[in-house]
């Protein structure tokens, strides 16, 4: 618009990047306040499922003379991976579904001086940090609870790259599911997404051992959790075999990019008309 | 239809937005996918400090208009400025200087009343101490100082609505947008809200309000635009609009049968300006009503028309709307 140069400027122009960083950080501050307040329920919710799992399969069963030897080793990467992914669904997707429909809080967040994609990015960033926190909560559980202490052979470089990728995957999947699902479908999310994802996510067995059931081995390549479980398996318990690292990193990166792109697109579509 | 300017011609395309005007739109249009023309070439000018109302039935295009002005709805064509800033081109800057109260309760349920205000201030660039101070100021303004520590769900509907308006004021916006702010609020809550809005107006706040309650528009607004099918049918102060009816009183008759001869005879009575069939009955627009009632009764008798009721009222914005559209405001 040529006319615009002549118009009256009432306000100073906010310059990037501060115009972006400031409201972004303010939203982080809000999320942090809510997390601090809900820390105990957050920890309970996060830790209960993996805790019960290791308790039954790596403490109770060996004590009563049941269970497979070495299962505690298999579960370390598996349970960390599944808890991180589940976290994204529980802490991002479900609240987001509510904010879009019932509470409509998102309509207010969108009025903040941040582009719509920036609001989506903030939600993902906080989810990313929460997922990192989840790793810190779950790791001691799966290491301490078993009767037989897991044998870990840690590859530090793999570990410090896989964990952030896993947290990002969790955040981006949370965003995508949260924007794609409507409240009536929430129970279906558990039945059709969470359950198959975790049970067929190479959580309770190494993916490489699926050689015996070739069709399942191939189909589960569509499951993003497989790449995370296998990446962590390589980083922590490589003695059981793991998927080739190229496939692990490629799989994780493709899933992250795809879910982020889809999630942000859906987010924009749902708040703008 | 003499006094208020009906919308016919649009200003020349390349005129520079006027100074002193907080909101200006130029041929603003929104066509939704599917072809619904929600807002149709809307030209609107709202002055600094003005309390302006968009009055119309549901589906008139009021919410879409606010949606476009507040960056939520992408216009199909046309331009708009807020405080001289082009809304389409510089959305983030515009968001910083507007306060928006949507039709829905969008309060942050996980925060207390005070925290809702404090964090809102932070989103809009206030530093911690300014935001704390503003949150406390606004809490008093919306008369919730006792309830600052309550979580949103612990507040009554009216209180939540006041908090919603308060939150939109924390960053001291140039314009406050209110989309149907009293829908679903009990009458007492509505009065409390009106008081707050009038106080804001006295303090110089520019306000754009949409409503389908004509009392609300009449009570609060300095100027009202009557909207239907995405167009402004008439614009002016409530007095100007009511004056445009051209009658001091309106008598609504319930009569059977309504024959052309009866209508003709009514029109012949001295003091009657016009007679129209409306959704509520036969409407007689006239000057002073007192002497007319017996004459109307006599006319009915002479025409063999059975008259079951005559009610007398003065023109309201509802009457204006009905005369413009042939429909009632609330249907």
């Amino acid at each position: 618009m040529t006319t615009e140069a002549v118009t009256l400027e009432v306000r100073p122009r906010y310059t990037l990047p501060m115009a972006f960083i400031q409201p972004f950080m303010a939203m982080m501050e809000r999320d942090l306040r809510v997390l601090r307040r809900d820390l105990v329920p957050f920890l309970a919710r996060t830790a209960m499922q993996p805790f019960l799992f290791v308790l039954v399969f790596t403490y109770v069963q060996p004590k009563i003379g049941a269970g497979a030897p070495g299962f505690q080793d298999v579960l370390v990467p598996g349970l960390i991976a599944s808890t991180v992914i589940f976290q994204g669904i529980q802490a991002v997707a479900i609240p987001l579904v509510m904010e879009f429909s019932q509470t409509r809080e998102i309509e207010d967040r969108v009025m903040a001086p941040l582009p719509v994609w920036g609001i989506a990015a903030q939600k993902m960033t906080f989810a990313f940090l929460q997922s990192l926190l989840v790793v810190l909560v779950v790791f001691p559980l799966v290491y301490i609870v078993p009767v037989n202490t897991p044998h870990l052979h840690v590859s530090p470089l793999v570990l410090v790259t896989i964990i952030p990728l896993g947290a990002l995957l969790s955040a981006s999947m949370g965003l995508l599911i949260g924007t794609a699902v409507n409240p009536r479908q929430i129970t279906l999310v558990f039945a059709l997404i969470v359950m198959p994802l975790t049970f067929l996510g190479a959580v309770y067995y190494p993916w490489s051992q699926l050689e015996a059931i070739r069709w399942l081995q191939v189909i589960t390549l569509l499951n993003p959790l497989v790449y995370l479980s296998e990446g962590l398996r390589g980083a922590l318990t490589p003695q059981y075999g793991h998927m080739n690292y190229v496939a692990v990193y490629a799989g994780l990166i493709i899933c992250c990019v795809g879910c982020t792109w889809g999630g942000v697109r859906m987010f924009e579509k749902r708040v703008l008309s | 239809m003499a006094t208020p300017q009906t919308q016919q011609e649009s200003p020349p395309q390349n005129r520079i937005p006027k100074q002193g005007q907080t909101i200006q739109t130029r041929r603003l249009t929104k066509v939704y996918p599917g072809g619904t023309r929600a807002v149709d070439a809307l030209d609107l000018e709202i002055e600094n400090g003005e309390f302006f109302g968009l009055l119309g039935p549901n589906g008139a295009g009021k919410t879409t208009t606010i949606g476009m002005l507040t960056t939520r709805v992408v216009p199909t064509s046309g331009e708009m400025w807020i405080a001289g800033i082009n809304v389409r081109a510089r959305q983030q800057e515009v968001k910083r200087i507007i306060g928006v109260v949507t039709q829905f309760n969008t309060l942050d349920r996980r925060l207390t009343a005070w925290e809702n205000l404090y964090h809102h201030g932070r989103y809009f660039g206030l530093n911690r101490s300014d935001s704390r101070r503003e949150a406390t100021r606004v809490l008093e303004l919306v008369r919730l100082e006792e309830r600052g520590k309550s979580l949103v769900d612990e507040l009554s509907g009216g209180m939540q609505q006041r908090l919603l308006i308060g939150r939109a004021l924390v960053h001291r916006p140039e314009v406050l947008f209110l989309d149907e702010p009293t829908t679903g609020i009990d009458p007492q809550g509505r009065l409390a809200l009106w008081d707050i809005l009038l106080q804001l107006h006295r303090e110089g706040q520019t306000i754009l309000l949409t409503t389908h309650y004509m009392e609300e528009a009449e009570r609060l607004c300095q100027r009202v635009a009557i909207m239907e099918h995405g167009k402004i049918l008439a614009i002016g102060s409530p007095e100007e609009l009511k004056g445009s009816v051209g009658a001091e009183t309106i008598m609504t008759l319930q009569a059977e049968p309504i024959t052309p001869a009866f209508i003709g005879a009514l029109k012949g009575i001295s003091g009657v300006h016009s007679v129209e069939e409306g959704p509520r009955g036969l409407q007689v627009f006239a000057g002073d009503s007192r002497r007319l009632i017996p004459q109307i009764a006599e006319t009915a008798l002479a025409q063999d028309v059975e008259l079951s009721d005559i009610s007398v009222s003065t023109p309201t914005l509802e009457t204006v709307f009905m005369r413009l559209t042939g429909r009632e405001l609330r249907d």
Side-chain angles (χ1 to χ4, degrees), chain B residues 3-16:
Chain B
T3 16
Q5 332 124 18
T6 34
Q7 286 250 325
Q8 273 151 9
E9 47 201 317
S10 58
Q13 279 298 306
N14 285 319
R15 205 188 48 194
I16 296 161

Side-chain angles (χ1 to χ4, degrees), chain B residues 58-122:
Chain B
N58 292 330
K62 308 184 300 287
T63 298
T64 303
T65 303
I66 283 204
M68 287 192 279
L69 285 166
T70 57
T71 77
R72 287 288 313 282
V73 176
V74 184
T76 310
S77 63
E79 289 297 335
M80 53 194 160
W81 293 264
I82 291 179
I85 302 176
N86 186 314
V87 178
R88 297 183 77 170
R90 289 153 64 186
Q91 295 195 1
Q92 307 321 317
E93 284 167 77
V94 166
K95 282 193 205 168
R96 278 186 190 271
I97 60 163
I98 59 175
V100 185
V101 178
T102 56
Q103 270 182 34
F104 308 101
N105 178 346
T106 60
L107 291 169
D108 197 329
R109 311 300 202 277
R110 306 229 261 167
L111 300 179
T112 65
W114 186 87
E115 286 166 351
N116 261 281
L117 303 174
Y118 168 79
H119 284 286
H120 180 92
R122 298 284 292 144

Side-chain angles (χ1 to χ4, degrees), chain A residues 183-203:
Chain A
R184 273 170 294 126
Q185 300 164 326
I186 270 204
T187 45
L188 279 180
V189 167
F190 282 92
L192 297 182
I193 301 177
V194 177
M195 291 306 204
L197 230 55
T198 40
F199 278 91
L200 301 173
V203 172

Side-chain angles (χ1 to χ4, degrees), chain B residues 117-158:
Chain B
L117 303 174
Y118 168 79
H119 284 286
H120 180 92
R122 298 284 292 144
Y123 299 159
F124 283 80
L126 270 56
N127 65 33
R128 286 197 174 85
S129 67
D130 285 350
S131 202
R132 258 183 233 123
R133 194 195 56 232
E134 289 299 298
T136 308
R137 170 186 75 91
V138 168
L139 211 54
E140 274 170 38
L141 177 75
V142 295
R143 285 142 222 184
L144 288 171
E145 54 271 53
E146 311 278 296
R147 303 304 300 269
K149 290 197 170 119
S150 303
L151 284 168
V152 170
D153 289 338
E154 296 162 5
L155 302 174
S156 73

Side-chain angles (χ1 to χ4, degrees), chain B residues 18 27 131 276 325:
Chain B
K18 280 190 213 157
R27 301 199 65 74
S131 202
E276 284 174 20
T325 64

Side-chain angles (χ1 to χ4, degrees), chain B residues 104-316:
Chain B
F104 308 101
N105 178 346
T106 60
L107 291 169
D108 197 329
R109 311 300 202 277
R110 306 229 261 167
L111 300 179
T112 65
W114 186 87
E115 286 166 351
N116 261 281
L117 303 174
Y118 168 79
H119 284 286
H120 180 92
R122 298 284 292 144
Y123 299 159
F124 283 80
L126 270 56
N127 65 33
R128 286 197 174 85
S129 67
D130 285 350
S131 202
R132 258 183 233 123
R133 194 195 56 232
E134 289 299 298
T136 308
R137 170 186 75 91
V138 168
L139 211 54
E140 274 170 38
L141 177 75
V142 295
R143 285 142 222 184
L144 288 171
E145 54 271 53
E146 311 278 296
R147 303 304 300 269
K149 290 197 170 119
S150 303
L151 284 168
V152 170
D153 289 338
E154 296 162 5
L155 302 174
S156 73
M159 288 176 180
Q160 292 190 20
Q161 193 66 12
R162 294 201 315 261
L163 184 60
L164 210 52
I165 291 174
R167 186 180 62 180
L169 294 167
V170 175
H171 59 294
R172 299 190 184 244
E174 304 256 324
V175 196
L176 177 63
F177 290 94
L178 299 159
D179 196 2
E180 308 263 358
T182 62
T183 303
I185 301 282
D186 60 83
Q188 213 183 340
R190 177 172 302 163
L191 288 176
L193 234 155
W194 283 358
D195 273 352
I196 292 170
L197 295 180
L198 287 170
Q199 182 189 337
L200 286 169
H201 172 58
R202 281 195 300 275
E203 290 167 6
Q205 178 73 57
T206 308
I207 304 175
L208 172 56
L209 164 128
T210 75
T211 183
H212 60 267
Y213 295 119
M214 56 114 186
E215 318 91 276
E216 190 160 278
E218 256 187 86
R219 232 338 254 288
L220 301 176
C221 300
Q222 289 172 293
R223 275 202 308 151
V224 174
I226 296 181
M227 232 183 144
E228 200 191 42
H229 300 311
K231 283 181 180 293
I232 288 177
L233 303 177
I235 192 165
S237 70
E239 287 66 37
E240 284 169 348
L241 290 169
K242 286 186 283 183
S244 74
V245 172
E248 287 163 43
T249 49
I250 300 150
M251 280 162 285
T252 308
L253 316 183
Q254 304 300 323
E256 189 60 43
I258 296 173
T259 56
F262 179 49
I263 294 176
L266 287 172
K267 281 182 179 161
I269 299 172
S270 117
V272 170
H273 303 324
S274 64
V275 180
E276 284 174 20
E277 281 193 75
R280 290 182 188 170
L282 199 60
Q283 291 193 304
V284 178
F285 296 85
D288 187 3
S289 69
R290 277 163 297 180
R291 303 239 290 274
L292 289 173
I293 293 172
Q295 291 188 55
I296 289 172
E298 278 166 27
T299 311
L301 206 61
Q303 295 281 331
D304 206 18
V305 169
E306 196 184 321
L307 198 59
S308 55
D309 187 55
I310 302 181
S311 61
V312 182
S313 61
T314 50
T316 61

